Amino acid sequence: MFEYFKYMKFADVLLPLPLSRYFTYAVPSEMQECLRIGSRVVVPFGRKKYYTAIVVFLHDHPTDVYEIKEIFSLLDEVPILRRPQLKFWEWIASYYLCSVGDVYKAALPSGLKLESESCIMLNDDYEEIPKQKLSSKERDVLNVLSGKGKCSISELEKISGIKNLMPTVRTLLEKEAVYMYEQLKEGYRPKTENYIRLCFGQEQQAELKELFDTLASAKKQLNLLMAYLDLSGFMRKKEFREVSKKELTERAGVSAAVMKALIDKKIFVVYKNEISRFTDMSCHTVPTHELSQAQQQAYKEIIDSFVHKDVSLLQGVTSSGKTEIYIHLIQEILRKGRQVLYLVPEIALTTQLTSRLQRIFGSQLVIYHSKFSENERAEIWNNMLRTNDVKIVLGVRSSIFLPFTDLGLVIVDEEHEKTYKQQDPAPRYHARNAAIVLASMHGAKTLLGSATPAIESYYNAMTGKYGWVSLTQRYDDISLPEIKIADLQQFRKKKQMSGTFSPLLIKQAKEGLERGEQVILFQNRRGFAPVMECKLCAWIPKCRHCDVTLTYHKRQNQLTCHYCGAVYDIPHICPACGQPSIEIKGYGTERIEEEIAAIFPDYSVSRLDLDSTRTRKAYEQIINQFQQKKMQILIGTQMVTKGLDFDNVSVVGILNADGLMNYPDFRAYERAFQLMVQVAGRAGRKNKRGTVILQTANPAHPLIRQIVNNDYEAMYNNQIEERKQFNYPPFSRLIHIFLKHRDETLLFQYSTMYADYLRKIFKHRILGPDNPPVSRIQSLYIRTITLKIENQASMSRVKELLQQAYENLLQVEGFKTVILYYDVDPL
């Protein structure tokens, strides 16, 4: 726990804003003995704004740079951060070139952050003057306020239906018809439930006897009283427990009116209790499975490697039973009384893992991800602060920010997955790399697991930086799936293709389905079709705000931009040539779902992609239904590649291998290999060998042969030589510098100027500026500058030089209008 300091007069605090420094506030006299480092305080910042800040230093040295304000209120006498969380936040800010405020905003659940919100209140003394005649919008606002008295800006917009409300509010303020003030928004609210107790204590037995006599003629009320005595153990003091109103009503089988009668008679007293938002997981646990000989050997090698290495890589083929090894390692850490962080790349993975881990570890396990509400996430945070009950956290990348007490092991499953990298907003951290640093701060070990490791991780293992353990045998000696190539070029020449499905894929899927088995089809594009095009003039609809083509979604009957989310109506007439000649091209998961349902009308089909899993429950429903064989065909994007375990899948179809390989990125080759090997691993998980149909127009491509042979070594050797030649990671570190502006000409000018300035500092290490593959998003044009620096370079020094360059260029007129940010170790 943070050290307790007495009699300090000033506190430096961290604000949840993208600011590069801490701010000093005066500590009121009543807080000087109870304020601690790590506690939340509410502070005024700017004009009438209030924020939840965190105390990072206590001292007696006032600043003379700005006028010091006083802390408004103290939210916690017990700190909300544990060691070494603040140190970890500062490392993320330093390494990923952002502010600690950015990290704070991402790390702490919103339910634990109070912020002020602008509110509008009616001026009761206002009288309309003929010269100041009110507009219809102004009158609408006043009508809303006359009914409600006061409203937040967001609430007022919603009720009045007026978009862009601020100009109307401004004119009303000038006319003194309304007042504006700041109101603190409530954050986390504990969940409460009504509980019942008797109006007297257990020692007052005489009063209880009188109650029986009084209620003798009211049978339902007497039954309710008897039910309470039974449930609470009132007569047996050692077993006395609290009873909820809901539980008591259900147990007695009486109406709410009967309960109200006893409350009105002052026999029962109602009070509120804070309860958990989560289902009680204190179920009967089951023992773990025994490890196979191969698994036992891998387990022993991991334990041995941890003697000398803090990080180890477990490279195990798909379905080799890596999860069972993780479970045995977790048990070993729990025996030492320490905690475990188990990271997975997708929320979908937590669905299957949760039930598996709950059966073994029960209530020691919590799940943490962004699909939980803010109140649920805040409750998990508070539970970890207040109790030592949480021993295992299963979660996605944001789980690294939780307040661990004594972390002993971090497991990063499917460590190669790019979803571990946060893209927007800042901090743009990589959870795998950050987790390694977090573990080292706790004196913990890190285990990275994958069938297809990231080239950087494998390189670190091969050069001795990490330990390395290989698991080449599938559990129960199941064979790796047979991969068959469907040559699309040949099938198209013979006109044998049925849409995007080769006859080989249809034949294999049909045979599998007739045997009562299941099929997975992998297409890494959502929507119905990626492109609509005029067949006469080749016009293609594009987003007005982004430099991308629109995707057609048939179910919603609209065109959607997958970058900014804008939606458009379907054009029936080409706006370029005026002809009704627009047709759809390409295949998304939605179109594949429709066409495969037409080919196999007797079988149930479902889809697993971002569009079909908007809610938390949607993931679980689709996966559970497929696992329970309620559907036979599952179509999915890369969500289906991430370690899901289905016993009955015999056929997997990779519909467009070429689209995965042909991308302007030095990692495209590696990613295509990982995706296709991972999705192939979903086939033949138990009892029999599976079949994978890989559709490609280029069957002679070296990558296709490496996938067929499951030859990771060949892929790695090919790529590592290429990266060494061109000095790409792992032989260097990349930093992408993004510059954005609404004016393309100005952006070109400023980005060129900035790159030239950086070349004076970093010399040949600067590349660009260039246009990224998508060069405009949300009406902002984008240019990128790449800084390629040595691995041993100090990131704090690099940050200092970049900041210095930016501050110098701010002197150039207009440069302040450029949005600039950094992406360290981009993917």
Side-chain angles (χ1 to χ4, degrees), residues 82 134 147 180 251 289 296 370 424 451 493 499 505 643 668 721 746:
R82 293 189 189 278
L134 295 173
M180 183 179 280
R251 176 68 171 270
H289 296 295
Q296 186 62 46
S370 58
D424 281 309
K493 278 182 183 177
L505 175 58
E721 283 303 315
L746 282 175

Side-chain angles (χ1 to χ4, degrees), residues 26-279:
V27 180
S29 56
E30 67 272 15
M31 293 183 200
Q32 291 193 10
E33 292 193 11
C34 57
L35 190 65
R36 302 184 186 185
I37 295 174
S39 292
R40 292 178 304 160
V41 291
V42 176
V43 296
F45 188 80
R47 296 184 63 188
K48 300 180 181 178
K49 282 284 184 182
Y50 290 86
Y51 292 95
T52 303
I54 295 177
V55 177
V56 293
F57 296 111
L58 291 166
H59 56 85
D60 55 2
H61 305 295
T63 179
D64 55 2
V65 178
Y66 50 83
E67 180 187 352
I68 295 179
K69 297 178 182 179
E70 196 172 75
I71 292 172
F72 180 73
S73 68
L74 172 64
L75 295 178
D76 318 290
E77 292 192 11
V78 177
I80 200 164
L81 296 188
R82 293 189 189 278
R83 290 187 187 276
Q85 276 180 286
L86 188 57
K87 182 183 173 185
F88 181 54
W89 290 7
E90 288 174 335
W91 176 84
I92 287 180
S94 175
Y95 184 84
Y96 290 103
L97 306 182
C98 62
S99 71
V100 188
D102 285 322
V103 184
Y104 166 26
K105 196 161 187 178
L108 203 68
S110 295
L112 298 177
K113 296 193 288 275
L114 294 177
E115 292 182 11
S116 63
E117 183 177 30
S118 297
C119 291
I120 307 297
M121 184 170 66
L122 192 67
N123 179 5
D124 294 329
D125 297 329
Y126 172 72
E127 292 182 5
E128 189 174 344
I129 303 170
K131 291 182 181 179
Q132 293 183 341
K133 191 174 180 181
L134 295 173
S135 68
S136 59
K137 286 185 179 180
E138 290 173 333
R139 207 170 291 282
D140 287 345
V141 169
L142 292 182
N143 287 339
V144 172
L145 290 174
S146 64
K148 293 188 70 74
K150 58 184 179 180
C151 264
S152 67
I153 293 288
S154 55
E155 190 182 5
L156 195 54
E157 277 187 346
K158 188 176 180 180
I159 296 171
S160 66
I162 302 171
K163 294 180 180 178
N164 191 20
L165 187 68
M166 284 312 294
T168 306
V169 169
R170 200 173 291 115
T171 57
L172 286 172
L173 286 168
E174 289 169 0
K175 294 172 183 176
E176 297 185 355
V178 297
Y179 296 122
M180 183 179 280
Y181 67 99
E182 291 296 310
Q183 177 176 286
L184 283 171
K185 292 186 289 184
E186 273 196 78
Y188 167 64
R189 283 187 179 183
K191 186 176 181 180
T192 59
E193 189 173 328
N194 286 332
Y195 274 68
I196 296 293
R197 63 176 171 80
L198 280 177
C199 60
F200 51 80
Q202 291 164 295
E203 68 284 350
Q204 294 168 284
Q205 302 293 323
E207 283 83 345
L208 184 60
K209 186 176 182 305
E210 285 180 20
L211 273 184
F212 288 143
D213 296 337
T214 305
L215 300 176
S217 58
K219 296 295 184 185
K220 289 183 179 180
Q221 294 179 26
L222 183 61
N223 288 341
L224 183 59
L225 176 61
M226 295 298 292
Y228 170 80
L229 296 173
D230 182 41
L231 275 173
S232 65
F234 189 85
M235 306 300 289
R236 306 179 299 277
K237 293 184 181 181
K238 289 183 180 178
E239 299 176 23
F240 181 78
R241 74 176 183 88
E242 294 181 298
V243 177
S244 75
K245 184 178 177 182
K246 180 182 177 183
E247 180 188 16
L248 178 56
T249 306
E250 288 174 355
R251 176 68 171 270
V254 297
S255 66
V258 178
M259 174 70 73
K260 186 176 183 300
L262 288 184
I263 294 169
D264 291 342
K265 290 177 180 179
K266 297 191 174 7
I267 294 170
F268 280 164
V269 176
V270 182
Y271 65 99
K272 289 189 180 295
N273 245 359
E274 185 176 330
I275 61 169
S276 173
R277 287 181 164 84
F278 300 96
T279 306

Side-chain angles (χ1 to χ4, degrees), residues 518-536:
Q518 291 169 294
V519 175
I520 288 178
L521 300 177
F522 169 60
Q523 172 72 344
N524 210 27
R525 277 185 179 276
R526 61 190 172 99
F528 189 83
V531 177
M532 292 189 86
E533 182 181 85
C534 175
K535 59 186 177 184
L536 294 180

Side-chain angles (χ1 to χ4, degrees), residues 106-109 347 350 366-372 374 376-378 380-381 384 393-402:
L108 203 68
I347 295 168
T350 62
V366 298
I367 297 91
Y368 190 83
H369 53 64
S370 58
K371 292 289 182 181
F372 282 151
E374 288 301 339
E376 287 172 325
R377 297 173 80 190
I380 291 171
W381 186 288
M384 292 187 70
V393 173
L394 172 65
V396 292
R397 61 175 180 252
S398 57
S399 306
I400 64 172
F401 295 117
L402 286 168

Side-chain angles (χ1 to χ4, degrees), residues 14-15 17-22 84-107 400-401 426-430 434 437 441 735 795-800 802-803 822-824:
L14 168 62
L15 289 156
L17 299 169
L19 303 169
S20 57
R21 61 192 179 91
Y22 301 134
Q85 276 180 286
L86 188 57
K87 182 183 173 185
F88 181 54
W89 290 7
E90 288 174 335
W91 176 84
I92 287 180
S94 175
Y95 184 84
Y96 290 103
L97 306 182
C98 62
S99 71
V100 188
D102 285 322
V103 184
Y104 166 26
K105 196 161 187 178
I400 64 172
F401 295 117
R428 296 170 179 85
Y429 64 97
H430 196 301
V437 173
M441 289 180 174
I735 300 173
M795 286 303 291
S796 57
R797 178 59 179 157
V798 170
K799 183 177 183 179
E800 186 182 313
L802 287 171
Q803 185 65 26
Y822 309 99
D823 187 3
V824 179

Side-chain angles (χ1 to χ4, degrees), residues 784-803:
T784 58
I785 299 168
T786 300
L787 172 56
K788 193 185 288 186
I789 59 172
E790 295 79 5
N791 287 324
Q792 61 271 23
S794 164
M795 286 303 291
S796 57
R797 178 59 179 157
V798 170
K799 183 177 183 179
E800 186 182 313
L801 292 170
L802 287 171
Q803 185 65 26

Side-chain angles (χ1 to χ4, degrees), residues 301-307 309-315 410 445-449 461 465-469:
E301 288 179 19
I302 292 168
I303 296 294
D304 291 343
S305 73
F306 280 156
V307 174
K309 307 287 184 184
D310 289 332
V311 184
S312 280
L313 171 65
L314 172 60
Q315 184 182 7
V410 176
K445 303 294 182 182
T446 305
L447 180 64
L448 311 179
K465 184 177 180 180
Y466 296 168
W468 179 66
V469 178

Side-chain angles (χ1 to χ4, degrees), residues 312-313 455-469:
S312 280
L313 171 65
I455 283 177
E456 290 89 340
S457 298
Y458 192 74
Y459 175 80
N460 285 335
M462 293 300 100
T463 54
K465 184 177 180 180
Y466 296 168
W468 179 66
V469 178

